[in-house]
Amino acid sequence: MIRDEEILNRVDKEKLPRHVAIIMDGNGRWASYRGLLRSAGHSAGMKTLKKILTVAVNLNLEALTVYAFSTENWKRPHAEVDFLLKLFSEYLEKEKLEMHEKNVRLRFLGRVEEFSAGIQNQIREATQLMKNNTGVKFNIAANYGGQDEILRAAQKLAQDVATGKISPAQITASTFEDALDTCGLPPVDLLIRTSGDIRISNFLLWQSAYAELFFTNTQWPEFSPEEFVDALIDFSHRERKFGGVKS
Ligand code: IPE
Ligand code: IPE
Ligand code: MG
């Protein structure tokens, strides 16, 4: 516990990002380097997620969004997809009360309606349970793709124009953001990707327009609270200009 506090005290609380997004990559590589099945990497990755959420809670971050399953991840072998969905369901069952006690506000981004009825029920129950919580906004992107989200928002707004609810001129950055899955969340300030690949892989494309990027070679199962705090400290030293000039 003392060690945890020491880690947290390294961060300047005034300079924290409001919204941190994480591409939790490298579970498969972590496992295969150890001669284990990819599934063992996914199980280990779940433990990392719990630790990182705890840091977010202790620092009282405004929002943490994690990429759990992309719209492209259905291309993986059936057995891996099934395992991931099972793990996902176990995680929700096991963690929901503790998340609730920690005042976490859970939300899902993506096409959750394509999951089985059982998982959809679990998602509904867990989000319902935490809907009035006021702590960290914890968003799990599951069956999520940035392009898919933008297309769904465009379709919704086009529908509103077709029915006369709004005029085309009323499609602004603000109304467009309201039509995204992330409605009400601040833009991403810091985007972290583990495991060495330097790409975005269709995550939060609109929301990361001015995000600071942090890439690390560490595989997700080994990503520690210390390294998470390192990323936050790194962020606190970045000079953000948003297209303007140095202030
Ligand atoms: C990330 O780890 C987890 C998911 C995509 C669900 P990967 O499974 O992509 O691990 P690598 O990239 O193959 O090592
Ligand atoms: C991104 O990782 C998706 C998640 C972490 C859930 P991938 O492993 O699917 O991305 P690519 O295939 O390396 O771009
Ligand atoms: Mg990967």
Side-chain angles (χ1 to χ4, degrees):
M1 191 60 210
I2 289 177
R3 205 170 129 261
D4 279 359
E5 270 168 33
E6 275 169 21
I7 297 170
L8 299 180
N9 284 339
R10 290 169 50 220
V11 201
D12 181 348
K13 313 279 183 303
E14 303 293 307
K15 291 183 177 164
L16 282 175
R18 290 181 68 191
H19 188 174
V20 179
I22 308 182
I23 302 173
M24 311 183 286
D25 196 24
N27 293 345
R29 275 163 285 177
W30 178 87
S32 54
Y33 293 157
R34 282 161 184 75
L36 303 170
L37 294 173
R38 291 177 60 84
S39 53
H42 295 312
S43 300
M46 285 296 181
K47 295 196 180 117
T48 303
L49 178 57
K50 186 179 163 117
K51 286 189 236 164
I52 298 306
L53 176 62
T54 303
V55 176
V57 167
N58 291 339
L59 287 173
N60 200 23
L61 273 190
E62 182 172 340
L64 174 70
T65 302
V66 297
Y67 208 3
F69 191 87
S70 77
T71 44
E72 288 73 37
N73 287 148
W74 296 105
K75 293 177 191 163
R76 295 185 179 204
H78 267 306
E80 181 169 347
V81 170
D82 280 354
F83 185 85
L84 280 167
L85 296 178
K86 209 177 90 221
L87 203 62
F88 189 55
S89 148
E90 280 170 18
Y91 180 85
L92 273 185
E93 210 42 54
K94 219 169 116 229
E95 300 296 329
K96 73 174 176 200
L97 290 180
E98 198 176 320
M99 286 196 272
H100 183 44
E101 277 162 20
K102 289 178 172 164
N103 197 22
V104 167
R105 171 128 186 208
L106 178 69
R107 169 160 156 188
F108 282 80
L109 314 177
R111 290 176 176 261
V112 290
E113 68 280 4
E114 286 172 7
F115 289 129
S116 69
I119 291 188
Q120 287 187 57
N121 272 336
Q122 281 189 297
I123 289 176
R124 218 171 294 120
E125 267 176 36
T127 48
Q128 187 67 18
L129 175 71
M130 289 176 245
K131 76 173 197 296
N132 295 322
N133 289 353
T134 55
V136 178
K137 292 172 181 141
F138 178 44
N139 311 295
I140 300 181
N143 198 14
Y144 174 88
Q147 292 181 340
D148 176 69
E149 180 195 32
I150 290 169
L151 285 174
R152 284 186 284 111
Q155 283 168 0
K156 181 184 173 292
L157 292 168
Q159 186 68 33
D160 288 350
V161 170
T163 57
K165 225 167 120 190
I166 58 168
S167 72
Q170 281 172 297
I171 302 179
T172 61
S174 161
T175 57
F176 198 84
E177 278 168 6
D178 288 346
L180 293 170
D181 296 350
T182 48
C183 166
L185 290 170
V188 174
D189 294 309
L190 173 64
L191 174 64
I192 298 173
R193 181 176 188 138
T194 59
S195 205
D197 286 315
I198 317 285
R199 55 175 173 260
I200 303 294
S201 300
N202 204 11
F203 194 38
L204 299 172
L205 298 178
W206 172 285
Q207 300 84 344
S208 299
Y210 273 97
E212 296 295 326
L213 309 179
F214 183 93
F215 295 99
T216 170
N217 288 328
T218 307
Q219 289 138 2
W220 178 249
E222 301 222 306
F223 189 71
S224 61
E226 286 89 338
E227 193 169 4
F228 185 42
V229 167
D230 286 344
L232 299 174
I233 293 171
D234 189 293
F235 172 83
S236 73
H237 297 130
R238 303 272 182 108
E239 189 191 338
R240 306 187 78 194
K241 298 196 292 189
F242 300 97
V245 288
K246 203 175 156 190
S247 55

